[in-house]
Amino acid sequence: MTYATQPEASHFVNGAYLEDKNGPPIEVIYPATGAVIATLHEATPEVIEQAISGAQAAQVDWAKLSGMEKGRVLRRAADIMRDRNHDLSVLETYDTGKPLQETLVADATSGADALEYFGSVAAGLTGEHIPLPGGDWAYTIREPLGVCVGLGAWNYPTQIACWKAAPALACGNAMVFKPSETTPLSALKLAEILIEAGAPAGLFNVVQGAGTVGAPLVTDPRVAKVSLTGSVPTGRKVYASAAEGMKHVTMELGGKSPLIIFDDASLEDAVGGAILGNFYSSGQVCSNGTRVFVQRGLKEAFLTRLAERTQQAVIGDPLDEATNFGPMVSEGQLQIVLNYIEAGKADGARLISGGHRIDGAGCWIEPTIFADVTDDMTIAREEIFGPVLSVLDFDDEAEVIARANATEYGLSAGVYTRDVQRGHRVIEQLQAGSCFLNSYNDAPVEVPFGGVKASGVGRENSKAAIEHYSQLKSVFVRMGETEAPF
Ligand code: NDP
């Protein structure tokens, strides 16, 4: 291996790399080959203490800077990230297995977008003046929350770290971030870059470890807010534990999102949307449209074209820029997906394409398509988080809306139709936080992102995120005398 994947140390605390070999080892595996590419150590209680106390100290002075000054640091960090996009993308590919073709355009670049966006809005973060009767008035002060904790999933390690750090820091907070133990490398690079861009030591810290390291971060009384990207079961635990301390939360959780394709849709676009919403990042995307409802008149043409285009996937070395379909992130996730494929077969779904592990080293599985899937089947009800696309048939609009909403999840939803009125009418009735019309899985930083129902609480990205990383102090000003009853 020529590319250096072993970081200087496991953690980044108080502006520098920090090692404590007393923490149990974490082996980082390149999922394409199964090779160990780095060995890190879980954070010990001493490391966690240094990270939280360092963040608490750094936050006080950071909050005193003007929005312009804070924003300048974030925008500089965005520029550095873009300059290093190639190296950061290679590292992300080693960490996750995602093809370089994807990581070059979707990971450090989207992280840089978040840093640039929130760097730009920082200067405009103000309270407001509220006139009141009799010449009295009030004003609000937008204040930071304090120390925020970020907990990341393994599918978009760089993006998740930036989506949490950028709005948190723009609002004057400090952050302790714990990446998934499966993909611990990229967040360390963000910490390095922020220091280079002028952030004070301690403002953004990275500590490694599994849920056992995340849990004490969530319960620490010095922590004001917890932002998690992860599964619904973890979300339930973390939300409950944060509630004990009455902390602010953002929960970006899983989904089982519907993608509804009407007879009048452009076939090529609809097939493209289904591929993007099921096979990009080998299906390891929370907002994926994994329940593909196809109106009966288009069904056979859709299945034929979907199978044809799926055959064209270039499966191979993720570092080869021609590859557009990589491995699963880990052996554990691969086994979960294989079990779901078996469940699909056992429940009577018709396997159209794929369905098998790919022989050889690494965590490879074929892009898999099931047809004739019904609402009660396990593969139509549970989040798989892998490249398994289920096609369900439907006849009319009211029916498909009811079936699309019949899930505990509500992260995303998509509609393909050439009838603009129908498109908007259907989307208005879908229970989902992020919807797509004749498209799927776009996530520009300017647009709020998040779920309803069990898929989450709060929003990331856009101006909406500011509300989740700041609080308002109201100040009432009496211009006349104070009138008391006695
Ligand atoms: P997990 O829910 O297993 O973990 C998420 C993070 O929380 C990890 O860093 C994990 O550590 C940590 N964690 C686990 N238990 C606790 C705990 N008790 N206290 C504090 N932290 C804890 O998710 P995955 O990493 O498996 O990611 C896949 C899931 O993430 C999918 O369900 C997917 O839908 C969801 N997701 C949601 C997105 C969204 O924006 N809505 C985006 C991407 C993914 P560790 O894993 O190291 O043990």
Side-chain angles (χ1 to χ4, degrees):
M1 194 154 302
T2 51
Y3 187 86
T5 44
Q6 178 70 46
E8 265 179 57
S10 301
H11 320 288
F12 198 99
V13 171
N14 274 324
Y17 276 101
L18 176 69
E19 191 55 275
D20 181 351
K21 291 193 173 159
N22 291 321
I26 302 171
E27 284 195 335
V28 188
I29 311 282
Y30 179 38
T33 62
V36 176
I37 54 165
T39 303
L40 277 59
H41 293 269
E42 287 206 27
T44 56
E46 291 74 26
V47 169
I48 295 173
E49 175 53 36
Q50 283 186 52
I52 297 180
S53 55
Q56 197 180 24
Q59 192 267 329
V60 175
D61 287 336
W62 176 251
K64 288 181 189 151
L65 296 181
S66 72
M68 284 275 264
E69 290 167 313
K70 292 195 281 271
R72 208 169 286 142
V73 171
L74 297 181
R75 282 183 282 112
R76 233 181 266 136
D79 290 344
I80 299 173
M81 256 185 139
R82 288 209 179 88
D83 287 348
R84 293 190 197 150
N85 183 40
H86 193 271
D87 278 3
L88 293 169
S89 302
V90 171
L91 186 67
E92 188 86 334
T93 290
Y94 276 120
D95 218 3
T96 61
K98 293 191 292 181
L100 190 58
Q101 189 190 96
E102 281 188 25
T103 53
L104 281 170
V105 297
D107 293 278
T109 52
S110 69
D113 284 353
L115 291 162
E116 183 177 351
Y117 178 87
F118 288 104
S120 305
V121 302
L125 297 180
T126 58
E128 61 179 343
H129 167 264
I130 305 159
L132 294 168
D136 293 341
W137 56 285
Y139 63 96
T140 59
I141 304 172
R142 186 170 289 282
E143 296 181 335
L145 302 174
V147 176
C148 301
V149 160
L151 302 167
W154 40 254
N155 58 344
Y156 280 80
T158 305
Q159 184 188 79
I160 291 170
C162 292
W163 280 17
K164 296 188 188 312
L169 271 43
C171 291
N173 304 288
M175 178 163 272
V176 179
F177 185 79
K178 189 201 80 64
S180 164
E181 64 169 347
T182 309
T183 54
L185 301 178
S186 321
L188 294 166
K189 292 291 169 192
L190 172 63
E192 273 183 39
I193 287 171
L194 281 164
I195 289 292
E196 241 180 287
L203 191 69
F204 179 75
N205 307 275
V206 176
V207 296
Q208 307 292 356
T212 44
V213 170
L217 292 173
V218 174
T219 50
D220 192 288
R222 291 166 291 180
V223 168
K225 159 152 194 155
V226 179
S227 176
L228 167 81
T229 298
S231 62
V232 172
T234 303
R236 286 206 170 93
K237 272 191 262 173
V238 172
Y239 197 177
S241 152
E244 276 294 311
M246 213 56 87
K247 297 175 202 285
H248 298 251
V249 294
T250 300
M251 295 283 144
E252 294 294 353
L253 308 176
K256 191 73 198 175
S257 301
L259 170 56
I260 302 172
I261 297 168
F262 285 97
D263 278 348
D264 68 341
S266 148
L267 180 62
E268 282 308 305
D269 288 340
V271 169
I275 288 171
L276 274 175
N278 282 275
F279 298 144
Y280 200 72
S281 298
S282 294
Q284 303 165 113
V285 181
C286 51
S287 47
N288 271 356
T290 47
R291 289 184 295 148
V292 183
F293 290 95
V294 183
Q295 204 164 14
R296 226 172 281 273
L298 196 65
K299 176 183 171 182
E300 287 312 321
F302 179 84
L303 286 174
T304 303
R305 195 63 192 122
L306 179 65
E308 277 169 12
R309 283 179 60 177
T310 301
Q311 293 304 317
Q312 294 164 19
V314 182
I315 306 174
D317 176 5
L319 292 161
D320 179 343
E321 280 186 49
T323 298
N324 54 27
F325 188 87
M328 302 301 301
V329 75
S330 64
E331 182 64 31
Q333 190 61 26
L334 174 77
Q335 290 304 329
I336 289 171
V337 176
L338 286 172
N339 288 342
Y340 275 114
I341 290 172
E342 289 313 310
K345 290 181 195 163
D347 283 348
R350 177 159 59 103
L351 188 63
I352 297 283
S353 162
H356 305 101
R357 183 177 189 144
I358 299 172
D359 289 340
C363 314
W364 297 84
I365 193 165
E366 294 169 337
T368 297
I369 302 167
F370 281 109
D372 304 338
V373 177
T374 53
D375 298 350
D376 55 332
M377 291 182 186
T378 305
I379 56 169
R381 287 187 288 106
E382 297 181 14
E383 183 181 48
I384 299 174
F385 228 60
V388 182
L389 185 161
S390 295
V391 176
L392 301 91
D393 312 333
F394 77 96
D395 292 301
D396 70 66
E397 191 178 308
E399 169 214 335
V400 78
I401 292 168
R403 290 170 59 199
N405 287 337
T407 167
E408 66 162 333
Y409 296 110
L411 188 53
S412 298
V415 175
Y416 272 86
T417 178
R418 285 199 174 95
D419 179 341
V420 173
Q421 284 164 326
R422 171 159 65 188
H424 291 293
R425 185 172 64 232
V426 171
I427 279 183
E428 193 189 351
Q429 296 171 78
L430 292 175
Q431 297 163 353
S434 299
C435 296
F436 308 93
L437 187 50
N438 294 325
S439 184
Y440 208 84
N441 262 352
D442 314 73
V445 67
E446 299 93 330
V447 182
F449 181 82
V452 301
K453 295 158 74 179
S455 290
V457 174
R459 291 291 175 269
E460 295 201 295
N461 291 343
S462 81
K463 293 194 282 290
I466 298 301
E467 300 304 326
H468 300 289
Y469 281 101
S470 61
Q471 57 196 347
L472 292 175
K473 175 183 280 170
S474 301
V475 183
F476 178 90
V477 182
R478 170 84 73 201
M479 298 304 284
E481 291 171 3
T482 300
E483 286 174 27
F486 52 85

